[in-house]
Amino acid sequence: MAIKLNKNKEFTELIKQNNLKFYKTAKAILKNDDDAYDAIQNALISMYENIHNLKDEKYFTTWGIRIVVNKCYDLIRKNNKVVSISLDNEQNKNEIETNDEYNLDLYGLEKILHDLDEQTRLLITLYYYDDLSINEISTIMNIPKGTVKSRLSRARNILKEKLEREGI
């Protein structure tokens, strides 16, 4: 039996609770605010139209993030573009020179995350930034739990090596 949500109030509340997770996920894939917002907008429309297919409200976050991920990949295919993981070095360099040491560390971490492959970056975002469980990530990425665990372990090792190399 599908859940029955008041399509205005309750749906809006669920979106508010998850909007940051949706944004972080879209940004991790698309690397561009405008594209991320476009993908999220398309995902919200899809969620609203298909909320009746969700069987249990407690799975809304996982269901919603999966839709966001799909819309991000749809946008990439539609635009027939390659997701750029490079940074505007000149602009960031100028901004960094005026910031404190803490921001330098954050920039270094951000740069390292940008240098990771898309799947690893998405996995790190879902686990550490969105605080999703291994089971939820498995569902969202459509891969077995064991694969999530092994990729997460590999990602930790890569991050550790890169952070040590950068001195962060």
Side-chain angles (χ1 to χ4, degrees):
M1 182 170 102
I3 64 168
K4 303 237 188 287
L5 282 178
N6 174 330
K7 278 197 168 188
N8 294 319
K9 185 179 179 186
E10 292 178 42
F11 181 77
T12 302
E13 211 39 55
L14 288 169
I15 296 302
K16 284 179 182 178
Q17 292 170 9
N18 291 285
N19 65 359
L20 188 57
K21 290 179 182 182
F22 295 158
Y23 171 75
K24 287 178 182 178
T25 301
K27 181 75 181 219
I29 295 170
L30 298 170
K31 309 297 332 131
N32 175 302
D33 280 334
D34 292 332
D35 288 344
Y37 292 134
D38 286 345
I40 291 169
Q41 182 177 11
N42 292 335
L44 292 176
I45 291 168
S46 183
M47 285 179 225
Y48 185 79
E49 291 173 344
N50 294 294
I51 191 72
H52 61 276
N53 293 330
L54 183 62
K55 304 232 185 286
D56 190 339
E57 187 178 330
K58 71 181 179 182
Y59 298 116
F60 180 82
T61 300
T62 305
W63 177 77
I65 290 175
R66 182 71 225 161
I67 292 172
V68 169
V69 168
N70 288 338
K71 294 302 178 181
C72 288
Y73 290 132
D74 288 349
L75 186 62
I76 291 169
R77 281 190 296 275
K78 179 182 171 195
N79 293 336
N80 195 21
K81 67 179 184 180
V82 176
V83 177
S84 173
I85 58 173
S86 65
L87 297 172
D88 183 357
N89 290 332
E90 201 55 43
Q91 177 185 354
N92 285 329
K93 194 183 229 183
N94 292 337
E95 290 174 11
I96 287 173
E97 288 173 357
T98 62
N99 291 330
D100 58 12
E101 188 175 312
Y102 176 75
N103 285 334
L104 284 172
D105 289 349
L106 286 179
Y107 171 74
L109 182 58
E110 181 180 311
K111 183 179 182 312
I112 289 170
L113 287 174
H114 279 66
D115 290 341
L116 296 174
D117 66 274
E118 183 178 311
Q119 291 296 309
T120 304
R121 189 172 52 247
L122 177 59
L123 182 68
I124 294 291
T125 301
L126 294 174
Y127 189 77
Y128 288 106
Y129 290 102
D130 292 343
D131 294 322
L132 296 180
S133 70
I134 301 292
N135 291 338
E136 291 170 319
I137 295 170
S138 172
T139 301
I140 290 167
M141 295 183 75
N142 198 27
I143 56 177
K145 289 180 248 183
T147 303
V148 172
K149 290 177 184 179
S150 64
R151 287 183 184 176
L152 194 54
S153 176
R154 194 174 322 118
R156 286 184 191 117
N157 289 334
I158 291 169
L159 286 173
K160 180 181 177 188
E161 289 173 13
K162 289 182 181 247
L163 287 170
E164 287 173 352
R165 205 173 317 129
E166 294 287 327
I168 297 175

